[in-house]
Amino acid sequence: DQQVKQNSPSLSVQEGRISILNCDYTNSMFDYFLWYKKYPAEGPTFLISISSIKDKNEDGRFTVFLNKSAKHLSLHIVPSQPGDSAVYFCAARTSATNKLIFGTGTLLAVQP
Amino acid sequence: DSGVTQTPKHLITATGQRVTLRCSPRSGDLSVYWYQQSLDQGLQFLIQYYNGEERAKGNILERFSAQQFPDLHSELNLSSLELGDSALYFCASSTGSNQPQHFGDGTRLSIL
């Protein structure tokens, strides 16, 4: 049972444009969501998070939006840069446990 | 650099053997988490320790065990290894339950 889904395995965007990565979840008990970026041969790097009491969190070029009624979150990167090319994972957690449930990732390619 | 150190980076061994993976968390982090990433799969939570005590368990096989020592480093022990245990094993740490987890670069385990 895949509780966190990233339905787009890959995304290609031009440098300077917006990248939108999407994530859907099924467990309504999730209350904390995170996005991680992963380069080859490295561990996931924390990017940004959002609590379920909010619907938006912004940090520089990165903004995460949460739509609880649709059980959907998205990561916006504006403007996209070639160095943003990586695999992006969304993850979710319930307050009852600290374990993160990860999606399968989306490979973002930012073309110069 | 996340501050989480995992050793070794690569490990090659044979079926039926036993290995130990080591993780040093970020300075000050009391929680350590272990995840497994198999081919074409997202990260799967295995187990969490907090200040030396087991706090949460995921789908960890009985052949696998872990512990966290008084200096807060953690070890993941994998025994009676099977071909299907070949994967990337990540360790993460955090200061508390409501804080993001920060990941090491992983140990790549190959079973021949």
Side-chain angles (χ1 to χ4, degrees), chain B:
Chain B
D1 182 8
S2 68
V4 178
T5 303
Q6 288 188 248
T7 56
K9 290 191 185 305
H10 303 278
L11 200 48
I12 302 174
T13 188
T15 55
Q17 296 299 304
R18 173 189 170 94
V19 296
T20 297
L21 313 183
R22 183 187 167 99
C23 170
S24 294
R26 292 188 320 163
S27 177
D29 285 358
L30 297 178
S31 281
V32 170
Y33 311 78
W34 286 97
Y35 291 83
Q36 179 192 56
Q37 185 181 25
S38 302
L39 195 63
D40 296 332
Q41 290 199 10
L43 288 89
Q44 305 288 323
F45 171 77
L46 294 177
I47 198 163
Q48 179 208 355
Y49 278 81
Y50 177 83
N51 203 20
E53 294 192 3
E54 182 183 304
R55 185 60 69 93
K57 227 171 182 177
N59 294 327
I60 186 168
L61 299 172
E62 285 191 12
R63 300 183 287 108
F64 296 2
S65 65
Q67 58 186 129
Q68 186 179 26
F69 294 86
D71 66 353
L72 300 178
H73 92 271
S74 177
E75 292 181 356
L76 179 67
N77 300 296
L78 315 176
S79 61
S80 302
L81 287 168
E82 302 175 358
L83 292 176
D85 297 329
S86 295
L88 270 167
Y89 291 85
F90 288 102
C91 170
S93 72
S94 70
T95 53
S97 59
N98 290 325
Q99 299 301 315
Q101 296 174 24
H102 297 269
F103 284 76
D105 286 340
T107 293
R108 181 174 292 280
L109 176 63
S110 299
I111 312 298
L112 303 180

Side-chain angles (χ1 to χ4, degrees), chain A residues 44-94:
Chain A
T45 300
F46 169 70
L47 272 178
I48 192 169
S49 63
I50 187 167
S51 164
S52 60
I53 63 173
K54 294 186 174 182
D55 54 18
K56 176 182 175 181
N57 189 24
E58 194 170 353
D59 184 2
R61 296 186 299 112
F62 301 93
T63 303
V64 56
F65 295 92
L66 176 61
N67 183 333
K68 289 186 289 293
S69 61
K71 294 191 178 69
H72 177 83
L73 68 156
S74 60
L75 175 68
H76 293 209
I77 306 173
V78 181
S80 301
Q81 300 172 354
D84 296 330
S85 298
V87 178
Y88 288 78
F89 291 96
C90 67
R93 190 211 71 189
T94 71

